[in-house]
Amino acid sequence: MLEVNQLYRILLQHMGPQNWWPADSKIEIILGAILVQNTNWRNAAYALESLTENTELEPHQILNTKLEDLQLLIKSSGFYKAKAQTILTILTWLNRFDFDYAGIQAHYGKQLRKSLLELKGIGEETADVLMVYVFDGIEFIPDSYTRRIFSKLGYSGTERYHKLKQKIDLPQDFTNQDANELHALLDNFGKAYFNSKNNGDFQFLEKYFVK
């Protein structure tokens, strides 16, 4: 069975750096992480584009937007009523710290992930994405593609996010950039391998899959 560090090196060798998250600012990352919940990136991207056109993704403009108007702007992402409330909740929380991400990380320290999970609408996957891509933390993000890959590699506990996360310890020398790349590589491998009819370029892992 491949260890995480071996898997990471193989993916990186074959696929190269992924340069994730696809965004121009941390606010865009935060909004994208919320909008993509329970939908695909295309639908989330439409919502982000609508938000950009109407608010320039300026957090105070979003906070000053009426809830009903915000819901309409992000309707393409689905579950838009809940997501609009989550957006306002997290932006209000961030605003308490003047959007000083380093200051927030310093304030909460090791309790930051727990504090994110206490915000209504922020689940484990979204919290981990924010930890890695916004707060420069080191977390394993076992999203749906990652769980499918690890299942094929013979790991147990892949049926639930928290179960696989509990089983995986990232290498002690992992940096934030490593955590970033590992998630991006796994996600992009999964999209290509499981969804593409022509996935020949992504068969390099198959020799490690449990038959």
Side-chain angles (χ1 to χ4, degrees):
M1 184 184 296
L2 277 181
E3 294 183 358
V4 173
N5 202 38
Q6 293 174 304
L7 174 61
Y8 175 43
R9 299 304 169 191
I10 292 169
L11 290 168
L12 193 59
Q13 176 185 351
H14 284 270
M15 298 171 62
Q18 303 299 294
N19 301 311
W20 262 30
W21 184 281
D24 295 324
S25 66
K26 291 194 172 185
I27 283 294
E28 186 175 350
I29 293 172
I30 292 165
L31 294 171
I34 294 169
L35 293 169
V36 80
Q37 292 174 354
N38 301 305
T39 190
N40 58 50
W41 182 252
R42 180 182 298 178
N43 292 336
Y46 287 143
L48 267 177
E49 183 178 346
S50 178
L51 275 175
T52 302
E53 290 175 354
N54 287 272
T55 69
E56 299 180 342
L57 300 188
E58 204 289 313
H60 294 99
Q61 284 196 45
I62 297 174
L63 282 170
N64 289 328
T65 301
K66 290 182 180 179
L67 178 60
E68 294 79 7
D69 294 336
L70 182 58
Q71 290 171 354
L72 289 175
L73 291 177
I74 66 169
K75 193 169 184 177
S76 67
S77 69
F79 302 97
Y80 58 92
K81 291 184 179 180
K83 290 180 181 180
Q85 189 59 63
T86 299
I87 288 170
L88 294 179
T89 295
I90 194 166
L91 292 185
T92 298
W93 180 73
L94 292 167
N95 192 38
R96 287 168 44 203
F97 297 89
D98 295 321
F99 296 88
D100 178 1
Y101 302 104
I104 293 170
Q105 201 280 336
H107 177 81
Y108 286 102
K110 293 182 179 179
Q111 297 300 309
L112 179 54
R113 184 178 187 271
K114 180 175 180 291
S115 298
L116 287 169
L117 288 170
E118 290 173 352
L119 299 174
K120 187 175 181 180
I122 302 298
E124 287 195 281
E125 183 175 337
T126 304
D128 286 334
V129 165
L130 299 183
M131 286 293 296
V132 171
Y133 293 98
V134 175
F135 296 106
D136 301 326
I138 303 170
E139 295 286 346
F140 177 58
I141 307 173
D143 60 19
S144 58
Y145 283 125
T146 294
R147 296 199 304 274
R148 290 174 73 179
I149 294 166
F150 273 70
S151 176
K152 283 188 168 291
L153 290 171
Y155 281 80
S156 60
T158 58
E159 67 276 7
R160 292 288 185 271
Y161 188 99
H162 71 277
K163 284 189 176 182
L164 184 57
K165 187 174 177 69
Q166 288 173 348
K167 288 181 175 291
I168 301 299
D169 291 320
L170 294 178
Q172 290 187 351
D173 61 350
F174 245 44
T175 65
N176 168 256
Q177 185 60 34
D178 290 325
N180 177 319
E181 284 290 355
L182 177 63
H183 173 237
L185 287 162
L186 286 165
D187 211 55
N188 282 340
F189 177 91
K191 287 176 183 176
Y193 184 85
F194 293 111
N195 297 332
S196 174
K197 294 180 180 179
N198 181 20
N199 61 17
D201 291 340
F202 294 86
Q203 291 175 351
F204 56 87
L205 272 189
E206 287 189 348
K207 61 183 177 182
Y208 302 104
F209 289 166
V210 175
K211 304 300 182 182

